Short mmCIF file of all heavy atoms in Angstrom, two decimals:
data_model
loop_
_atom_site.label_atom_id
_atom_site.label_comp_id
_atom_site.label_asym_id
_atom_site.label_seq_id
_atom_site.Cartn_x
_atom_site.Cartn_y
_atom_site.Cartn_z
N HIS A 1 7.64 19.98 9.41
CA HIS A 1 6.80 18.93 8.84
C HIS A 1 5.37 18.94 9.37
O HIS A 1 5.16 19.05 10.58
CB HIS A 1 7.42 17.56 9.11
CG HIS A 1 6.60 16.43 8.67
ND1 HIS A 1 6.35 16.16 7.33
CD2 HIS A 1 5.88 15.48 9.38
CE1 HIS A 1 5.57 15.09 7.27
NE2 HIS A 1 5.26 14.69 8.48
N VAL A 2 4.42 18.84 8.47
CA VAL A 2 3.02 18.70 8.83
C VAL A 2 2.55 17.38 8.24
O VAL A 2 2.68 17.18 7.03
CB VAL A 2 2.16 19.88 8.25
CG1 VAL A 2 0.69 19.65 8.58
CG2 VAL A 2 2.68 21.19 8.82
N CYS A 3 2.03 16.51 9.06
CA CYS A 3 1.61 15.18 8.59
C CYS A 3 0.45 15.32 7.58
O CYS A 3 -0.44 16.12 7.78
CB CYS A 3 1.14 14.30 9.75
SG CYS A 3 2.45 13.76 10.81
N SER A 4 0.54 14.49 6.57
CA SER A 4 -0.58 14.41 5.65
C SER A 4 -1.66 13.54 6.27
O SER A 4 -1.43 12.87 7.24
CB SER A 4 -0.11 13.81 4.32
OG SER A 4 0.33 12.47 4.56
N ASP A 5 -2.82 13.58 5.69
CA ASP A 5 -3.93 12.77 6.15
C ASP A 5 -3.60 11.29 5.92
O ASP A 5 -3.31 10.91 4.78
CB ASP A 5 -5.18 13.16 5.37
CG ASP A 5 -6.40 12.40 5.78
OD1 ASP A 5 -6.31 11.50 6.65
OD2 ASP A 5 -7.47 12.64 5.20
N PRO A 6 -3.57 10.45 6.96
CA PRO A 6 -3.23 9.03 6.78
C PRO A 6 -4.11 8.35 5.71
O PRO A 6 -3.60 7.50 4.99
CB PRO A 6 -3.46 8.44 8.15
CG PRO A 6 -3.34 9.54 9.12
CD PRO A 6 -3.83 10.75 8.36
N ALA A 7 -5.37 8.73 5.64
CA ALA A 7 -6.24 8.11 4.61
C ALA A 7 -5.77 8.41 3.20
O ALA A 7 -5.82 7.57 2.31
CB ALA A 7 -7.69 8.57 4.82
N GLU A 8 -5.26 9.63 3.01
CA GLU A 8 -4.72 10.01 1.69
C GLU A 8 -3.47 9.19 1.39
O GLU A 8 -3.30 8.70 0.26
CB GLU A 8 -4.38 11.49 1.67
CG GLU A 8 -5.58 12.39 1.58
CD GLU A 8 -5.16 13.85 1.57
OE1 GLU A 8 -4.04 14.19 1.18
OE2 GLU A 8 -6.01 14.70 1.97
N ARG A 9 -2.61 9.01 2.38
CA ARG A 9 -1.38 8.27 2.18
C ARG A 9 -1.69 6.79 1.92
O ARG A 9 -1.08 6.16 1.05
CB ARG A 9 -0.47 8.41 3.41
CG ARG A 9 0.87 7.72 3.25
CD ARG A 9 1.69 8.31 2.13
NE ARG A 9 2.97 7.60 2.03
CZ ARG A 9 3.56 7.34 0.90
NH1 ARG A 9 3.10 7.77 -0.24
NH2 ARG A 9 4.69 6.69 0.89
N ILE A 10 -2.66 6.23 2.61
CA ILE A 10 -3.10 4.86 2.38
C ILE A 10 -3.59 4.70 0.97
O ILE A 10 -3.21 3.74 0.25
CB ILE A 10 -4.16 4.42 3.39
CG1 ILE A 10 -3.53 4.26 4.79
CG2 ILE A 10 -4.81 3.11 2.97
CD1 ILE A 10 -4.53 4.09 5.92
N ALA A 11 -4.39 5.65 0.48
CA ALA A 11 -4.89 5.61 -0.89
C ALA A 11 -3.74 5.67 -1.90
O ALA A 11 -3.77 4.95 -2.92
CB ALA A 11 -5.89 6.74 -1.11
N GLU A 12 -2.75 6.53 -1.62
CA GLU A 12 -1.58 6.62 -2.54
C GLU A 12 -0.85 5.31 -2.60
O GLU A 12 -0.46 4.83 -3.69
CB GLU A 12 -0.62 7.70 -2.04
CG GLU A 12 -1.09 9.11 -2.20
CD GLU A 12 -0.15 10.11 -1.52
OE1 GLU A 12 0.93 9.73 -1.02
OE2 GLU A 12 -0.52 11.29 -1.49
N LEU A 13 -0.61 4.67 -1.45
CA LEU A 13 0.13 3.40 -1.40
C LEU A 13 -0.69 2.29 -2.08
O LEU A 13 -0.13 1.44 -2.78
CB LEU A 13 0.47 3.06 0.05
CG LEU A 13 1.57 3.93 0.67
CD1 LEU A 13 1.63 3.68 2.18
CD2 LEU A 13 2.91 3.68 0.02
N LYS A 14 -1.99 2.26 -1.86
CA LYS A 14 -2.82 1.26 -2.54
C LYS A 14 -2.78 1.40 -4.05
O LYS A 14 -2.71 0.45 -4.78
CB LYS A 14 -4.29 1.35 -2.03
CG LYS A 14 -4.50 0.76 -0.66
CD LYS A 14 -5.99 0.81 -0.28
CE LYS A 14 -6.25 0.13 1.03
NZ LYS A 14 -7.71 0.09 1.33
N ALA A 15 -2.82 2.68 -4.50
CA ALA A 15 -2.74 2.97 -5.95
C ALA A 15 -1.39 2.49 -6.53
O ALA A 15 -1.33 1.92 -7.61
CB ALA A 15 -3.00 4.43 -6.23
N GLU A 16 -0.36 2.77 -5.75
CA GLU A 16 1.00 2.34 -6.18
C GLU A 16 1.08 0.82 -6.26
O GLU A 16 1.64 0.26 -7.19
CB GLU A 16 2.02 2.86 -5.17
CG GLU A 16 3.45 2.63 -5.56
CD GLU A 16 4.43 3.26 -4.53
OE1 GLU A 16 4.11 4.29 -3.93
OE2 GLU A 16 5.51 2.62 -4.37
N TRP A 17 0.50 0.12 -5.25
CA TRP A 17 0.53 -1.34 -5.27
C TRP A 17 -0.29 -1.86 -6.47
O TRP A 17 0.13 -2.78 -7.15
CB TRP A 17 -0.05 -1.87 -3.96
CG TRP A 17 0.03 -3.37 -3.81
CD1 TRP A 17 1.10 -4.05 -3.30
CD2 TRP A 17 -0.93 -4.32 -4.18
NE1 TRP A 17 0.83 -5.41 -3.33
CE2 TRP A 17 -0.42 -5.59 -3.87
CE3 TRP A 17 -2.21 -4.26 -4.75
CZ2 TRP A 17 -1.11 -6.77 -4.10
CZ3 TRP A 17 -2.92 -5.42 -4.97
CH2 TRP A 17 -2.39 -6.65 -4.64
N ALA A 18 -1.44 -1.26 -6.70
CA ALA A 18 -2.32 -1.69 -7.80
C ALA A 18 -1.62 -1.47 -9.16
O ALA A 18 -1.71 -2.36 -10.01
CB ALA A 18 -3.63 -0.89 -7.77
N GLU A 19 -0.92 -0.38 -9.31
CA GLU A 19 -0.20 -0.15 -10.54
C GLU A 19 0.93 -1.16 -10.74
O GLU A 19 1.14 -1.65 -11.86
CB GLU A 19 0.38 1.29 -10.55
CG GLU A 19 1.01 1.65 -11.85
CD GLU A 19 1.52 3.10 -11.87
OE1 GLU A 19 0.89 3.95 -11.23
OE2 GLU A 19 2.55 3.34 -12.52
N ALA A 20 1.62 -1.50 -9.65
CA ALA A 20 2.74 -2.41 -9.76
C ALA A 20 2.31 -3.84 -9.99
O ALA A 20 2.99 -4.63 -10.65
CB ALA A 20 3.57 -2.33 -8.48
N THR A 21 1.13 -4.21 -9.46
CA THR A 21 0.69 -5.62 -9.54
C THR A 21 -0.42 -5.85 -10.53
O THR A 21 -0.71 -7.01 -10.90
CB THR A 21 0.18 -6.10 -8.14
OG1 THR A 21 -0.96 -5.32 -7.77
CG2 THR A 21 1.27 -6.00 -7.11
N GLY A 22 -1.11 -4.79 -10.93
CA GLY A 22 -2.26 -4.96 -11.83
C GLY A 22 -3.49 -5.52 -11.14
O GLY A 22 -4.38 -6.06 -11.80
N ASP A 23 -3.54 -5.40 -9.86
CA ASP A 23 -4.63 -5.98 -9.08
C ASP A 23 -5.19 -4.92 -8.11
O ASP A 23 -4.55 -3.92 -7.87
CB ASP A 23 -4.12 -7.16 -8.25
CG ASP A 23 -4.99 -8.37 -8.40
OD1 ASP A 23 -6.19 -8.24 -8.64
OD2 ASP A 23 -4.47 -9.52 -8.22
N ASN A 24 -6.37 -5.17 -7.58
CA ASN A 24 -7.01 -4.22 -6.63
C ASN A 24 -6.74 -4.73 -5.21
O ASN A 24 -7.21 -5.81 -4.82
CB ASN A 24 -8.50 -4.15 -6.91
CG ASN A 24 -9.21 -3.17 -6.01
OD1 ASN A 24 -8.65 -2.68 -5.04
ND2 ASN A 24 -10.46 -2.91 -6.29
N PRO A 25 -6.03 -3.94 -4.38
CA PRO A 25 -5.71 -4.42 -3.01
C PRO A 25 -6.93 -4.56 -2.14
O PRO A 25 -6.91 -5.34 -1.15
CB PRO A 25 -4.76 -3.36 -2.48
CG PRO A 25 -5.05 -2.12 -3.26
CD PRO A 25 -5.46 -2.63 -4.64
N ASP A 26 -8.02 -3.87 -2.46
CA ASP A 26 -9.24 -3.98 -1.66
C ASP A 26 -9.96 -5.32 -1.83
O ASP A 26 -10.84 -5.66 -1.07
CB ASP A 26 -10.17 -2.83 -1.97
CG ASP A 26 -9.62 -1.50 -1.51
OD1 ASP A 26 -8.90 -1.44 -0.50
OD2 ASP A 26 -9.89 -0.46 -2.19
N ASP A 27 -9.52 -6.08 -2.85
CA ASP A 27 -10.12 -7.40 -3.04
C ASP A 27 -9.51 -8.51 -2.18
O ASP A 27 -9.93 -9.66 -2.22
CB ASP A 27 -9.98 -7.83 -4.53
CG ASP A 27 -10.83 -6.96 -5.45
OD1 ASP A 27 -11.75 -6.29 -4.96
OD2 ASP A 27 -10.54 -6.95 -6.66
N TYR A 28 -8.45 -8.14 -1.43
CA TYR A 28 -7.69 -9.14 -0.67
C TYR A 28 -7.44 -8.68 0.76
O TYR A 28 -7.51 -7.51 1.08
CB TYR A 28 -6.32 -9.35 -1.31
CG TYR A 28 -6.39 -9.74 -2.78
CD1 TYR A 28 -6.24 -8.76 -3.74
CD2 TYR A 28 -6.62 -11.04 -3.14
CE1 TYR A 28 -6.33 -9.12 -5.09
CE2 TYR A 28 -6.69 -11.42 -4.48
CZ TYR A 28 -6.56 -10.42 -5.47
OH TYR A 28 -6.63 -10.76 -6.77
N GLN A 29 -7.16 -9.64 1.60
CA GLN A 29 -6.64 -9.38 2.97
C GLN A 29 -5.13 -9.58 2.88
O GLN A 29 -4.60 -10.68 2.97
CB GLN A 29 -7.25 -10.38 3.97
CG GLN A 29 -6.89 -10.16 5.39
CD GLN A 29 -7.60 -8.94 5.99
OE1 GLN A 29 -8.61 -8.49 5.45
NE2 GLN A 29 -7.05 -8.44 7.05
N LEU A 30 -4.39 -8.47 2.63
CA LEU A 30 -2.97 -8.56 2.35
C LEU A 30 -2.10 -8.55 3.59
O LEU A 30 -2.31 -7.79 4.54
CB LEU A 30 -2.54 -7.40 1.44
CG LEU A 30 -3.27 -7.34 0.07
CD1 LEU A 30 -2.96 -6.04 -0.65
CD2 LEU A 30 -2.85 -8.54 -0.76
N SER A 31 -1.10 -9.41 3.57
CA SER A 31 -0.07 -9.43 4.65
C SER A 31 1.04 -8.44 4.27
O SER A 31 1.08 -7.94 3.15
CB SER A 31 0.53 -10.84 4.77
OG SER A 31 1.31 -11.13 3.60
N GLU A 32 1.93 -8.20 5.19
CA GLU A 32 3.05 -7.32 4.90
C GLU A 32 3.87 -7.86 3.73
O GLU A 32 4.33 -7.10 2.88
CB GLU A 32 3.94 -7.14 6.14
CG GLU A 32 5.00 -6.07 5.98
CD GLU A 32 5.68 -5.68 7.27
OE1 GLU A 32 5.08 -5.81 8.36
OE2 GLU A 32 6.82 -5.22 7.19
N ASP A 33 4.03 -9.18 3.67
CA ASP A 33 4.76 -9.80 2.54
C ASP A 33 4.04 -9.53 1.20
O ASP A 33 4.66 -9.25 0.20
CB ASP A 33 4.93 -11.30 2.74
CG ASP A 33 5.93 -11.62 3.79
OD1 ASP A 33 6.82 -10.78 4.08
OD2 ASP A 33 5.91 -12.75 4.31
N ASP A 34 2.71 -9.59 1.22
CA ASP A 34 1.92 -9.32 0.00
C ASP A 34 2.14 -7.86 -0.42
O ASP A 34 2.31 -7.57 -1.62
CB ASP A 34 0.45 -9.58 0.23
CG ASP A 34 0.14 -11.03 0.53
OD1 ASP A 34 0.84 -11.91 0.01
OD2 ASP A 34 -0.83 -11.28 1.30
N TRP A 35 2.06 -6.93 0.53
CA TRP A 35 2.25 -5.52 0.20
C TRP A 35 3.62 -5.27 -0.38
O TRP A 35 3.80 -4.40 -1.25
CB TRP A 35 2.04 -4.63 1.45
CG TRP A 35 0.61 -4.44 1.87
CD1 TRP A 35 0.03 -4.92 2.99
CD2 TRP A 35 -0.42 -3.74 1.14
NE1 TRP A 35 -1.31 -4.55 3.02
CE2 TRP A 35 -1.61 -3.79 1.91
CE3 TRP A 35 -0.44 -3.05 -0.06
CZ2 TRP A 35 -2.78 -3.21 1.51
CZ3 TRP A 35 -1.63 -2.45 -0.47
CH2 TRP A 35 -2.78 -2.53 0.33
N SER A 36 4.62 -5.98 0.12
CA SER A 36 6.03 -5.73 -0.28
C SER A 36 6.25 -6.09 -1.75
O SER A 36 7.16 -5.55 -2.39
CB SER A 36 7.01 -6.48 0.59
OG SER A 36 6.93 -7.86 0.40
N VAL A 37 5.38 -6.95 -2.32
CA VAL A 37 5.54 -7.28 -3.75
C VAL A 37 5.42 -6.00 -4.61
O VAL A 37 6.18 -5.82 -5.55
CB VAL A 37 4.47 -8.32 -4.18
CG1 VAL A 37 4.45 -8.51 -5.68
CG2 VAL A 37 4.69 -9.61 -3.43
N GLY A 38 4.47 -5.11 -4.27
CA GLY A 38 4.27 -3.92 -5.06
C GLY A 38 4.88 -2.69 -4.49
O GLY A 38 5.09 -1.70 -5.22
N LEU A 39 5.20 -2.70 -3.19
CA LEU A 39 5.67 -1.48 -2.53
C LEU A 39 7.09 -1.54 -2.01
O LEU A 39 7.63 -0.53 -1.56
CB LEU A 39 4.74 -1.16 -1.35
CG LEU A 39 3.28 -0.87 -1.65
CD1 LEU A 39 2.49 -0.66 -0.35
CD2 LEU A 39 3.15 0.36 -2.55
N GLY A 40 7.68 -2.72 -2.00
CA GLY A 40 9.00 -2.87 -1.38
C GLY A 40 8.80 -3.00 0.14
O GLY A 40 7.70 -2.78 0.64
N ASP A 41 9.84 -3.35 0.82
CA ASP A 41 9.76 -3.58 2.25
C ASP A 41 9.34 -2.35 3.06
O ASP A 41 8.51 -2.43 3.95
CB ASP A 41 11.08 -4.13 2.80
CG ASP A 41 11.40 -5.55 2.31
OD1 ASP A 41 10.44 -6.22 1.87
OD2 ASP A 41 12.55 -5.93 2.33
N ASP A 42 9.95 -1.18 2.75
CA ASP A 42 9.60 0.04 3.51
C ASP A 42 8.18 0.45 3.25
O ASP A 42 7.46 0.86 4.20
CB ASP A 42 10.57 1.19 3.17
CG ASP A 42 11.95 0.98 3.71
OD1 ASP A 42 12.10 0.15 4.65
OD2 ASP A 42 12.88 1.66 3.27
N GLY A 43 7.72 0.38 2.02
CA GLY A 43 6.32 0.74 1.69
C GLY A 43 5.33 -0.19 2.35
O GLY A 43 4.29 0.24 2.84
N ALA A 44 5.70 -1.50 2.39
CA ALA A 44 4.84 -2.49 3.02
C ALA A 44 4.71 -2.22 4.51
O ALA A 44 3.62 -2.22 5.07
CB ALA A 44 5.39 -3.87 2.78
N ARG A 45 5.85 -1.92 5.14
CA ARG A 45 5.85 -1.63 6.56
C ARG A 45 5.03 -0.37 6.83
O ARG A 45 4.24 -0.34 7.77
CB ARG A 45 7.29 -1.41 7.06
CG ARG A 45 7.45 -1.30 8.54
CD ARG A 45 8.91 -1.22 8.98
NE ARG A 45 9.80 -2.13 8.30
CZ ARG A 45 10.74 -1.74 7.39
NH1 ARG A 45 10.89 -0.46 7.10
NH2 ARG A 45 11.50 -2.64 6.84
N GLU A 46 5.18 0.63 6.00
CA GLU A 46 4.44 1.87 6.15
C GLU A 46 2.93 1.69 6.07
O GLU A 46 2.20 2.13 6.91
CB GLU A 46 4.90 2.91 5.09
CG GLU A 46 4.16 4.21 5.16
CD GLU A 46 4.53 5.18 4.06
OE1 GLU A 46 5.48 4.90 3.27
OE2 GLU A 46 3.89 6.23 3.97
#
């Protein structure tokens, strides 16, 4: 295993959240509970 760039992974997760919620995550200060709405618990934790 070779780790991917964390910034790339953050961008992927933000895009996934945006697609699931129809909102831009950069417009908010999101808590882990907020992230879990679009990413599920594991994605939010990640």
Side-chain angles (χ1 to χ4, degrees):
H1 174 68
V2 177
C3 288
S4 63
D5 180 359
E8 288 179 23
R9 183 65 180 143
I10 290 169
E12 289 173 6
L13 289 167
K14 284 183 174 184
E16 186 178 326
W17 187 88
E19 185 176 328
T21 63
D23 229 333
N24 182 351
D26 292 328
D27 292 342
Y28 305 96
Q29 184 74 19
L30 299 171
S31 68
E32 189 167 333
D33 286 339
D34 296 327
W35 284 113
S36 69
V37 172
L39 298 176
D41 291 339
D42 287 344
R45 189 175 317 109
E46 178 184 353

